[in-house]
Every structure is written in C-alpha cells, then in structure tokens.
Amino acid sequence: DKVLPELIEPYELRAAKLREFLEDVKPSLCYDIVPLADPFGPSVTDPDLQCLVVSEETRRGGEAVNRKRLENGLPELALYEIQLMKDPDHSQNEEEKISSSSLRQRLLGTLLQPPRRDPALPLRPYVIGLTGGTGSGKTSIAKLLGQLGAFVIDADKLGHAVYVPGGPAYEPVVAAFGAEILNKDGTINRKVLGAKVFGNQEQLKRLTDIVWPKIAQMVKERVREADAEGKAVCVLDAAVLLE
C-alpha cells in the first residue's frame, strides 16, 4: 500500500524495494525494472516483449499499447488479464477493489507519526502549512479547517496587500523596477510588473527577494494575531510555501 512517505521516495529507493519484493516472491525469475518517462515506456518500442499483464480496468491501456506497437512495425503483445481482489469492506465512495487510494482516503485526518516538538517554536498556535498547485484543493481544505475553528492565513491575499501603496513592498519594488510599472493612480500594475519578470530568472529573483521576506513577516504578524485570539491551530495557505 502506497501512502505519502512511499509516494515521495526517490526512484532508486522505490526500485530497490520493488526488486527485493519480486526476488522474494520468485528468485528464479529475471527482472528488468525500468523508469517510465511516458504512459507507454518500453512497451511500444521493445521488440523482445511478448506479453503484457493487464486487469479489467487497464485492458484498454493494453489495447492502446498494441495499436502503438503496430504503428511502430512491431508484433502485438498477448494481453493476459488478471482479476483484482475485491475489498468486502469498501465504502460507497471507495473503489470496489483493494486499493491504496482507498487506504489513503481512510488515513485522511489521522497522524501517521506524532508531530516533532521543536523547543524553538511555541506550542500554540500550532501552525500547519497547506500548499499545492492551482486546482489542488487548497482553498476547499482551508475553508473546512476554518469551519473547524482554525485561524486561516491566505498568503495569496497577503501577496496582493504587500504591493498596495503604503504596503511593505511598494516602495522597494517601485525603486527596483521603475515608475513605468505604476498606474495613473499610483498603484502597481501587476501585469506590467509580471511582464518584466516573466521568463527572466534574474529579474524574478530580484522581485521575490524583495516580496517574499515581506510576506513572511506579514504571516508572522498574523500568527501572533491568532495567538492573541487564543487560537490553537493556524493554517497557512500558500502556493509557493516550500520555495
């Protein structure tokens, strides 16, 4: 079963664990584990392959492999279909088969290991970082946690506030990128500023070196607000939290 720690392990470690498992199951067989850089991998280019193991739900993928092989002038593979074990205890929202996806869903809201106590950090409020790309569900999760009583800090809103006239990054950004980034009312035109840094790593770093420390400082102030309000948990919703 694959849970988050396994899913983010380096490829070399995952391959070593798989090799150990396969050799334990059948030591006499020869295994060649290869990384997949695309959905097909060597299945559509290797002339020595003869068989592809599929399940009922992946048979269409096997048929797609055979179409690609024919396009590449290779013989079709024999498709050997295996039956997946059913999970008698699956819920209405889970897959019928025994599935690591169902396991991860069941683990939502549980602690896989107790949080590490850092003596340099205060016990309250307990700050949770919530990160992920656009459309990954951060806003929905932040809203749910807020409804449960957490103090939610939206880094995107702070990212807008940092640029307003009088905001902590306003003057340094104008000084660095010039008055041409300003609208007639004196506000920073984010589109003009964005065009200056888009595709230019040096200029982008110049901007983030100004803005990110200011946002971080605003986040710390908001955490202090949460503490003053007696909040036990504080959630920081930030798309570029790790960066």
Side-chain angles (χ1 to χ4, degrees):
D1 288 317
K2 302 182 293 293
V3 291
L4 185 59
E6 286 77 32
L7 289 171
I8 61 176
E9 283 177 342
Y11 167 78
E12 292 77 12
L13 181 55
R14 295 184 68 180
K17 287 183 176 180
L18 176 60
R19 185 174 292 106
E20 182 182 358
F21 169 76
L22 293 172
E23 290 173 352
D24 187 47
V25 171
K26 189 89 171 181
S28 61
L29 288 181
C30 177
Y31 299 104
D32 184 16
I33 302 171
V34 297
L36 299 180
D38 59 65
F40 293 105
S43 66
V44 296
T45 57
D46 190 338
D48 295 327
L49 291 180
Q50 295 176 295
C51 176
L52 186 64
V53 178
V54 297
S55 66
E56 182 182 353
E57 61 185 24
T58 62
R59 171 170 278 279
R60 289 175 64 185
E63 292 167 352
V65 165
N66 274 338
R67 287 195 295 271
K68 283 279 187 182
R69 285 181 69 85
L70 290 175
E71 289 174 15
N72 293 339
L74 297 172
E76 288 187 326
L77 300 176
L79 299 182
Y80 181 81
E81 185 175 317
I82 58 171
Q83 299 299 310
L84 296 176
M85 292 185 67
K86 303 292 184 183
D87 183 354
D89 301 317
H90 75 88
S91 71
Q92 186 177 355
N93 298 323
E94 294 175 346
E95 298 175 285
E96 286 188 9
K97 64 177 183 178
I98 292 178
S99 163
S100 57
S101 299
S102 298
L103 173 67
R104 289 194 294 275
Q105 186 167 309
R106 292 169 197 169
L107 287 172
L108 286 173
T110 65
L111 286 174
L112 296 182
Q113 60 187 33
R116 291 189 298 273
R117 292 297 182 196
D118 186 337
L121 296 174
L123 291 176
R124 293 169 68 98
Y126 187 80
V127 183
I128 298 172
L130 178 61
T131 192
T134 302
S136 61
K138 290 193 310 301
T139 302
S140 299
I141 295 298
K143 186 177 179 181
L144 285 169
L145 293 170
Q147 290 170 352
L148 291 170
F151 186 98
V152 179
I153 302 171
D154 186 338
D156 193 42
K157 288 181 180 177
L158 297 183
H160 283 83
V162 81
Y163 287 102
V164 299
Y170 178 82
E171 289 187 8
V173 169
V174 174
F177 293 93
E180 63 265 28
I181 66 169
L182 296 177
N183 294 311
K184 289 182 180 179
D185 62 0
T187 58
I188 291 175
N189 187 317
R190 298 281 291 273
K191 286 187 177 179
V192 174
L193 177 59
K196 279 179 170 283
V197 301
F198 183 77
N200 187 322
Q201 289 299 317
E202 187 178 326
Q203 289 288 74
L204 179 61
K205 184 178 186 304
R206 191 180 180 197
L207 178 63
T208 56
D209 282 350
I210 296 170
V211 172
W212 285 359
K214 303 296 185 186
I215 295 176
Q217 189 57 44
M218 293 173 81
V219 166
K220 289 175 183 175
E221 290 169 6
R222 296 285 283 150
V223 171
R224 283 195 288 272
E225 284 179 34
D227 185 32
E229 291 182 18
K231 293 285 187 176
V233 174
C234 193
V235 176
L236 172 58
D237 174 357
V240 288
L241 179 64
L242 299 179
E243 290 86 344

